[in-house]
Amino acid sequence: MKTLQLNTEKIRKDFPILNRKANGKPLVYFDNAATSQTPQQVIDTIAHYYQNYNANIHRGVHFLSQEATDAYEQARIKIQKHFNIKVPHEVIFTSGTTHAINLVAHGFSSFLKEGDEILVSAMEHHSNIVPWQMLCERTGATLKVIPMDQNGELVMKDYHALLSKDAKLVFCNHVSNALGTINPIKEIIDAAHAVGARVLVDGAQAAPHIKADMQALDVDFYTVSAHKMCGPTGVGILYGKSEWLNKLPPYQGGGEMIAEVTFEKTTYADLPHKFEAGTPNIAGGIAFGAALDYMNAIGFDTIAQYEDELLQYATNKLKKIEGLKIYGEASKKAAVVSFNIQGIHPYDIGTILDKLGIAVRTGHHCAQPIMDFYGIPGTVRASFSFYNTKEEIDTLVEGVQRARNMLV
Ligand SMILES: *Cc1c(COP(=O)(O)O)cnc(C)c1O
């Protein structure tokens, strides 16, 4: 194996929060799939904006407004380049993945009719289930589910069998936040296109680990949340092919999204402004660009390789604990370990870990159908980032062992 150039000691200095104590113990932060921590460089970008050029964008002729507009549009271009998107106006700033998915689901209301089918995978986040159910209610379309197996992998032969000429839309996450599964999205996209269906991939959990190439994937829509990849909360993007973004109606009406307004008729602005009504999260968008710079300076290949090593290390050590079962053992996985110990409620393990300063997530992880599939109320989920260490995993494993000794 190639030696890793990742200098965790140096990297950890960029994240002031990692020096904190939680319940009197050094913080071990393993809830990265819920939100990642923010490096000083990104925090400084936000402070610098408010200290130096806070102004509304695209409107003022004045100096500050120009500076803010330039920085915001530069961030859009950084995002475009990062995801190999053809043109900047195919990047729509949103408040995050949830907003981006709702925008598309709303937009498709006028393109679907009774008898049409929408396919969603069995391992979706609620934010990639509920908007489609609402869309089905509005249009009379039917929701069909691509099943998964015990390993936490999609059953691809069933997917191919489900696809028919009635399939209009397919939705799938790139990486499952609850299980860590990396889904075969290229195969999913190509098969959907072969029957004329459009595909939205929820990339919220993939983007921190995988540098996805929009043109190579040929995906129709892709969503990202900045806060899962070292950026601030409340900002993200919808990528969409121009062809479809031009067809879809605006999601919200307001300032910024119009070309001309009279009381008789309003014409809409061109992309991307048609979908960016109102004053956006300007500092957030600029800071998202800074987060991409930060991660790219380390390198996504290096990040993925290091996180994979953490995943293998944690998986092997946790499995040795008696009665511990890991949910989701797909052959391709991001650095997420979801587990339970026989006879113990996940919440009780989480509570003991918290007392030890270890932050994990317990519960259904916004993916109740997965928990129903396994017949469990939830799991304990530890999710790793490139700033985590093997020593921290040792602390987790000791903590879980201790919880087991106390509770069994
Ligand atoms: C976090 C997450 C979401 C929701 O993202 P928001 O930033 O809360 O809108 C959706 N899908 C997946 C897979 C996620 O991990």
Side-chain angles (χ1 to χ4, degrees):
M1 199 177 191
K2 200 173 99 221
T3 45
L4 297 158
Q5 305 98 22
L6 203 111
N7 184 345
T8 12
E9 209 176 312
K10 178 166 168 287
I11 283 170
R12 287 177 71 85
K13 292 205 174 85
D14 293 333
F15 293 82
I17 207 168
L18 297 179
N19 292 321
R20 269 209 62 173
K21 292 222 156 110
N23 287 322
K25 301 282 190 324
L27 170 70
V28 173
Y29 187 77
F30 283 157
D31 196 16
N32 294 287
T35 200
S36 59
Q37 293 305 341
T38 321
Q40 191 61 46
Q41 289 84 337
V42 172
I43 299 169
D44 287 345
T45 303
I46 297 168
H48 186 254
Y49 167 82
Y50 284 109
Q51 283 161 356
N52 293 283
Y53 60 106
N54 177 26
N56 212 328
I57 55 169
H58 299 140
R59 295 170 200 195
V61 291
H62 62 81
F63 185 80
L64 290 192
S65 174
Q66 303 274 354
E67 236 180 54
T69 304
D70 284 352
Y72 194 66
E73 291 307 319
Q74 277 308 314
R76 194 190 306 272
I77 289 168
K78 273 180 198 169
I79 295 162
Q80 177 215 345
K81 299 229 159 96
H82 178 81
F83 292 104
N84 193 28
I85 291 166
K86 210 185 280 172
V87 284
H89 68 240
E90 290 182 327
V91 177
I92 310 294
F93 276 114
T94 64
S95 68
T97 290
T98 304
H99 174 189
I101 292 173
N102 277 282
L103 187 164
V104 176
H106 171 268
F108 267 92
S109 303
S110 47
F111 291 97
L112 294 185
K113 55 176 192 328
E114 219 170 308
D116 286 344
E117 291 175 359
I118 302 178
L119 272 57
V120 297
S121 96
M123 59 175 89
E124 293 309 308
H125 190 281
H126 294 165
S127 73
N128 210 5
I129 301 174
V130 185
W132 311 121
Q133 288 173 327
M134 289 162 68
L135 176 61
C136 286
E137 274 172 27
R138 286 195 298 275
T139 60
T142 313
L143 200 69
K144 300 225 159 156
V145 180
I146 310 162
M148 59 181 257
D149 64 16
Q150 286 292 327
N151 277 340
E153 294 183 338
L154 292 177
V155 184
M156 291 303 284
K157 87 172 166 12
D158 290 2
Y159 168 62
H160 289 284
L162 275 174
L163 277 174
S164 73
K165 62 165 183 27
D166 294 326
K168 293 295 180 286
L169 289 166
V170 175
F171 301 101
C172 184
N173 53 37
H174 193 167
V175 169
S176 156
N177 64 303
L179 303 174
T181 310
I182 301 176
N183 284 310
I185 57 163
K186 184 60 183 153
E187 183 183 341
I188 289 171
I189 293 162
D190 290 348
H193 285 172
V195 298
R198 313 290 21 132
V199 183
L200 182 146
V201 173
D202 169 357
Q205 204 57 243
H209 315 284
I210 301 167
K211 193 168 174 165
D213 181 326
M214 295 301 114
Q215 293 188 72
L217 285 172
D218 193 30
V219 66
D220 302 289
F221 303 98
Y222 195 90
T223 65
V224 179
S225 294
H227 71 94
K228 301 239 169 124
M229 50 189 316
C230 297
T233 55
V235 66
I237 60 137
L238 167 68
Y239 159 73
K241 285 183 183 165
S242 298
E243 179 203 346
W244 274 98
L245 292 177
N246 281 320
K247 271 188 213 166
L248 296 184
Y251 181 43
Q252 292 179 319
E256 193 74 15
M257 54 73 74
I258 47 85
E260 202 177 345
V261 177
T262 66
F263 280 109
E264 287 70 45
K265 188 175 167 53
T266 292
T267 51
Y268 304 126
D270 289 335
L271 295 174
H273 308 295
K274 176 174 132 185
F275 292 111
E276 295 182 350
T279 302
N281 182 351
I282 303 168
I286 297 166
F288 186 7
L292 287 180
D293 286 345
Y294 181 83
M295 291 185 77
N296 276 309
I298 299 168
F300 274 75
D301 288 345
T302 312
I303 287 173
Q305 193 186 334
Y306 178 71
E307 287 176 350
D308 202 45
E309 199 169 297
L310 292 181
L311 174 68
Q312 299 314 329
Y313 186 77
T315 304
N316 292 339
K317 283 203 120 181
L318 283 168
K319 268 188 166 171
K320 295 209 175 87
I321 295 175
E322 211 185 312
L324 187 141
K325 176 171 165 51
I326 291 177
Y327 295 90
E329 297 198 88
S331 59
K332 287 190 174 159
K333 255 188 90 169
V336 172
V337 189
S338 242
F339 63 90
N340 275 330
I341 296 178
Q342 208 173 16
I344 310 178
H345 197 281
Y347 181 79
D348 294 336
I349 300 174
T351 306
I352 291 175
L353 293 178
D354 176 53
K355 295 264 183 310
L356 301 170
I358 305 164
V360 292
R361 180 87 179 258
T362 63
H364 54 63
H365 318 300
C366 297
Q368 271 174 357
I370 298 182
M371 303 306 140
D372 293 345
F373 173 80
Y374 286 117
I376 51 177
T379 66
V380 181
R381 180 187 71 185
S383 48
F384 312 119
S385 182
F386 58 89
Y387 43 70
N388 290 129
T389 64
K390 287 186 183 164
E391 291 71 38
E392 288 181 309
I393 291 172
D394 292 340
T395 308
L396 169 74
V397 173
E398 279 161 32
V400 174
Q401 187 69 60
R402 196 159 145 187
R404 187 188 170 275
N405 294 344
M406 284 168 75
L407 296 167
V408 166

